[in-house]
Amino acid sequence: MSGDGGGLQSVDLASLDINQLNQVKQQIDQEVRLFEQSVASLKYAQSKFQSSVDSLSGMTPDNTNKEVLVPLTESLYIPGRLARTEKVLIDIGTGYYVEMTIEKGRQFLKSRVQFLADEMGKVQALLRQKVDMQGVCNMLLQGKVQQLQEMQNMQQQFSSLPTGSAAAAAR
């Protein structure tokens, strides 16, 4: 943290040693996984809301008294009949349901779909930044490992010279 009230301090990744760079890469990898999970969760929620929007299209006066399957759980249904087709109960979150007309319900659900799309766009932008940072870390790590290998090769070549030759080379 910098002294400017808690803002993030930028770090020159190229100045980090291999261990530090590896730690940064591991943290970025973890953040990438978190953002990917967030995007998946947002897509799932969005598909549920979109499915509800699509279901409202079947709520017409023509369908009054039609037989339907009423879900008790995700895999358990009982037969029922549509008694009213002009209003629905909509889960607005945390277990609260509000009765709305079909059109108001559709508008509410579409606003949720749009809100989730906007949030997904924000998370995807952050994900792209993290993936870019991941690529930079990988590239820097590869370069530092290659430099280390080259230095080890030079040390091996230098140490394999005869002792007299090394002294002569040093002069």
Side-chain angles (χ1 to χ4, degrees), residues 93-153:
T94 62
Y96 289 99
Y97 294 83
V98 174
E99 186 175 71
M100 296 183 190
T101 65
I102 299 300
E103 189 52 39
K104 288 225 186 249
R106 184 177 289 116
Q107 289 171 0
F108 174 80
L109 294 168
K110 283 183 176 181
S111 73
R112 298 288 91 195
V113 168
Q114 185 59 51
F115 171 77
L116 290 170
D118 294 344
E119 291 303 304
M120 207 176 339
K122 293 174 188 175
V123 173
Q124 286 172 330
L126 291 170
L127 177 60
R128 281 189 296 276
Q129 288 176 349
K130 292 297 178 179
V131 167
D132 290 346
M133 289 175 64
Q134 200 176 35
V136 168
C137 280
N138 285 333
M139 185 180 67
L140 289 171
L141 268 172
Q142 288 173 353
K144 289 189 181 270
V145 166
Q146 186 176 4
Q147 280 180 334
L148 186 62
Q149 287 174 341
E150 288 173 3
M151 288 189 60
Q152 288 173 344
N153 287 342

Side-chain angles (χ1 to χ4, degrees), residues 22-90:
N22 203 28
Q23 286 176 344
V24 169
K25 183 191 173 305
Q26 287 174 354
Q27 180 165 350
I28 291 172
D29 290 346
Q30 185 178 1
E31 290 172 355
V32 165
R33 284 189 298 276
L34 176 70
F35 285 135
E36 287 171 340
Q37 290 170 352
S38 294
V39 167
S41 294
L42 289 168
K43 280 183 182 178
Y44 177 76
Q46 186 184 38
S47 72
K48 289 291 194 181
F49 280 114
Q50 187 59 52
S51 175
S52 295
V53 169
D54 297 342
S55 294
L56 287 179
S57 64
M59 297 295 292
T60 63
D62 296 342
N63 290 329
T64 302
N65 288 323
K66 279 202 173 175
E67 283 193 22
V68 294
L69 291 175
V70 179
L72 295 179
T73 68
E74 287 188 29
S75 60
L76 180 64
Y77 299 85
I78 59 171
R81 290 192 178 273
L82 284 176
R84 297 183 320 167
T85 56
E86 64 278 352
K87 291 191 177 185
V88 291
L89 287 176
I90 301 213

